[in-house]
Amino acid sequence: MKLRRALPILAVLPALLAATACSGDSTGSAAAKPKASAKQSAEEKEAAEAKRLGAFDGKALEKIAITGKSAGFDAEKIARTEVEAGRGMEADRKACQPLASLIGGFTHLPAVTTVHRSLQPGEASNATVGSMWLASHGKSDATRVMRELRTAVTECPKGFKTLGLTYGKVETLPAPKLGDEAVGYRITGDIGKQKVPMTYTVVRSGGVVAAFYGVNMLDPKKAAIPEGFVQAQLDRIADATG
């Protein structure tokens, strides 16, 4: 079985629906100008909010996110339609919302901006695939994200449901001693008749929450994205922070 999808399996399904919503035959400069103007306005608003909070805006975050080969993995950008498909995932239990949001590729507290990468192994002998996303917050919100995520892992051992899918087990894993603080855990999803263990390493560096998701269907105990790759990304964040 080959798992070549970057985001969790369930996030792919809404992406197919989102793609069908891209309709309309308008062409020409008259139609293009309002779209360009709206995009510029959104970017300006994001940049202003980032400046107010002392956070990274989208352009800055894109620059520091690993792209290409690093520490045994190949990091590639993910299509925006696939990324947005995971936004707004709701858990059937409020206490578990931080976990559900991260399954979708976002933090449960809205970030100034978020960038995503797929992670594919550089060697054929490595069966771990996954993804990474960096969420830019003000430092106080980033700290709160980690605190509430840690609480969710503790309070949701029997799992939760979201988008009609069941995640029947949540286990705490040893957190790496990286960044300002870190959380490690494994969620087992019931995908059809198959149980899929998904491993997460979430690290805060200042106001950036960096989440690393891995799946290894041959050996779940080897599913975590290696600390070498995590550290490589944290180094880039630290260098940009100065």
Side-chain angles (χ1 to χ4, degrees), residues 223-239:
I225 301 303
E227 289 190 17
F229 184 89
V230 176
Q231 186 62 63
Q233 179 58 73
L234 295 177
D235 289 343
R236 291 173 65 95
I237 297 171
D239 289 344

Side-chain angles (χ1 to χ4, degrees), residues 44-86:
E44 290 174 348
K45 183 178 179 181
E46 178 186 281
E49 179 67 0
K51 184 177 181 180
R52 183 181 72 83
L53 295 173
F56 290 103
D57 61 18
K59 291 181 178 179
L61 203 61
E62 278 287 350
K63 288 182 180 179
I64 64 175
I66 291 176
T67 305
K69 296 180 180 179
S70 178
F73 282 85
D74 188 12
E76 299 179 358
K77 292 185 179 182
I78 303 173
R80 182 171 293 275
T81 52
E82 291 188 20
V83 169
E84 291 301 318

Side-chain angles (χ1 to χ4, degrees), residues 168-216:
K169 188 177 182 181
V170 179
E171 306 168 78
T172 300
L173 298 178
K177 295 180 180 180
L178 300 174
D180 295 313
E181 57 180 319
V183 178
Y185 60 95
R186 181 182 297 121
I187 296 179
T188 300
D190 299 326
I191 311 299
K193 295 183 179 180
Q194 189 171 20
K195 293 191 180 297
V196 181
M198 304 178 296
T199 300
Y200 290 81
T201 302
V202 186
V203 185
R204 179 179 69 82
S205 178
V208 177
V209 175
F212 304 84
Y213 154 82
V215 169
N216 186 318

